[in-house]
Amino acid sequence: MKLLIINGPNLNLLGKREPGIYGNQTFQEFFTEMQKQFNTIELNYFQSNIEGELITKIQEADDTYEGVILNAGAYTHTSIGIGDAIKAVSVPVVEVHISNTFGREEFRHQSYISPNAKGVILGFGMQSYVLGVQSFL
């Protein structure tokens, strides 16, 4: 099985950014642990702060991966384009968030990804990604 994890804006700052919400671990450190935990799965990772690059990566994942685990960060709440990209491809996408977006500011309660996603996992910290991988097993 081949899965792609895509992270959106500011998630390159994990480990430094708001540790009370996002923790102290970098995503690269966590991703290395995930690769060991799921050593029979080919896990790949992509991060960008640029909306168009995320859309392109979702499009490229079609016919290449069995699934995508997407944390679009703030674009979750603003990007019709990312939602449309998910709708346009056949590869299933699981939306994940580190924090419980419904326990945060009201603008974070809207998702343009959820209606087109296979499922949504949020609020379990970095373990949200593990649950995302497990959803494909």
Side-chain angles (χ1 to χ4, degrees):
M1 176 173 288
K2 192 173 176 183
L3 299 176
L4 175 63
I5 297 172
I6 300 175
N7 273 343
N10 299 311
L11 292 167
N12 57 308
L13 298 176
L14 289 173
K16 298 182 213 174
R17 176 186 178 208
E18 299 178 85
I21 295 173
Y22 300 107
N24 296 314
Q25 189 175 35
T26 69
F27 191 80
Q28 190 57 53
E29 291 167 344
F30 182 75
F31 183 67
T32 300
E33 291 174 7
M34 281 184 59
Q35 287 178 306
K36 291 175 186 169
Q37 180 180 353
F38 297 104
N39 59 10
T40 61
I41 298 172
E42 182 180 334
L43 288 175
N44 292 295
Y45 171 59
F46 176 79
Q47 188 279 327
S48 179
N49 294 318
I50 301 169
E51 181 179 20
E53 289 181 0
L54 298 172
I55 291 169
T56 298
K57 191 55 80 170
I58 291 165
Q59 292 171 353
E60 290 173 354
D62 208 20
D63 300 324
T64 304
Y65 292 92
E66 281 80 21
V68 171
I69 297 150
L70 172 65
N71 183 344
Y75 288 138
T76 300
H77 321 293
T78 62
S79 180
I80 294 168
I82 291 174
D84 285 348
I86 295 166
K87 194 181 334 182
V89 298
S90 61
V91 63
V93 175
V94 171
E95 177 184 357
V96 302
H97 296 283
I98 296 167
S99 68
N100 177 354
T101 57
F102 291 98
R104 297 183 64 195
E105 304 92 339
E106 190 170 332
F107 73 87
R108 295 186 195 275
H109 300 181
Q110 166 69 39
S111 171
Y112 288 101
I113 294 165
S114 297
N116 304 305
K118 172 186 170 188
V120 180
I121 301 166
L122 52 90
F124 293 97
M126 297 286 240
Q127 290 301 308
S128 294
Y129 294 95
V130 171
L131 295 169
V133 170
Q134 290 174 337
S135 73
F136 287 103
L137 300 180

